[in-house]
Amino acid sequence: MWFTETAIPPMVVCSAIAAILFIQWYQRRLGKFLIGSLFMVLLTVGFYMLEVSIVTPRERVEADLFNLIDAFQKKEAETTLSYISPRAQQLRGMVTLALELVTLDDDLRITDVSTEMKSEDSIATIHFRANGTAMYGGVSGRQPTRWELTWQKMGGEWKVTEATRLNPITGEVLRPFSVR
């Protein structure tokens, strides 16, 4: 476990030390400062490589969220449904219907993503906003939406078990296909 949420703070500290040591080398021309500066640069690269190699459950489920949205936007039904739990038959039916009725333009933006991990990182609740132009019922317009998806880890993969559409302003629960 990192002593920080990300590797960026240790990378900044190492970079700052490397810069200070390089300035000291430039002024005094002592090899130990240059070696120290190069060591700190290598340490910074090492922290970066370590950060890239570690994928937390939170990062994995958030990546799956963006993959799900991308598949839905491209109307890839099989891929989209692969992110939905086989046990959530009603949700699968609603997603299938939405794939037929809703078309999302390329201007879709996902913002305000927050993830809460529960049950020893086996359940995740992701809250996010989706803003973009959508066509539904023959009418096209820019529609802000707010969602809460519950994901569960099943056989090593994250699957959506519940999806709740929320009012973008008040947060109250809305019916899935309501025009609000």
Side-chain angles (χ1 to χ4, degrees), residues 45-179:
V45 171
F47 277 131
Y48 174 77
M49 299 302 287
L50 184 62
E51 174 65 20
V52 169
S53 70
I54 296 172
V55 179
T56 66
R58 178 185 312 268
E59 292 170 332
R60 181 70 251 156
V61 74
E62 286 177 1
D64 283 350
L65 168 70
F66 285 99
N67 291 335
L68 165 66
I69 292 168
D70 186 55
F72 183 91
Q73 190 174 12
K74 292 177 181 175
K75 295 205 172 271
E76 297 171 350
E78 189 174 314
T79 305
T80 302
L81 291 173
S82 73
Y83 289 99
I84 310 298
S85 170
R87 296 182 213 147
Q89 288 300 321
Q90 184 177 8
L91 178 58
R92 291 176 75 83
M94 286 194 309
V95 169
T96 301
L97 183 61
L99 281 164
E100 294 172 14
L101 298 177
V102 178
T103 302
L104 302 174
D105 285 351
D106 290 336
D107 64 348
L108 181 66
R109 284 186 38 239
I110 306 302
T111 60
D112 193 27
V113 178
S114 65
T115 305
E116 180 183 353
M117 303 302 291
K118 302 174 188 170
S119 299
E120 297 178 1
D121 293 343
S122 65
I123 295 176
T125 302
I126 300 181
H127 182 209
F128 66 96
R129 295 174 189 269
N131 301 300
T133 307
M135 182 179 288
Y136 171 62
V139 178
S140 179
R142 190 154 186 81
Q143 182 64 40
T145 61
R146 186 171 161 188
W147 296 87
E148 186 176 274
L149 299 183
T150 302
W151 296 70
Q152 186 171 357
K153 197 165 191 180
M154 299 177 174
E157 294 182 332
W158 288 97
K159 302 288 183 182
V160 179
T161 57
E162 292 178 42
T164 306
R165 184 169 170 225
L166 306 170
N167 182 302
I169 297 168
T170 66
E172 69 183 44
V173 176
L174 297 175
R175 290 190 337 257
F177 291 104
S178 66
V179 183

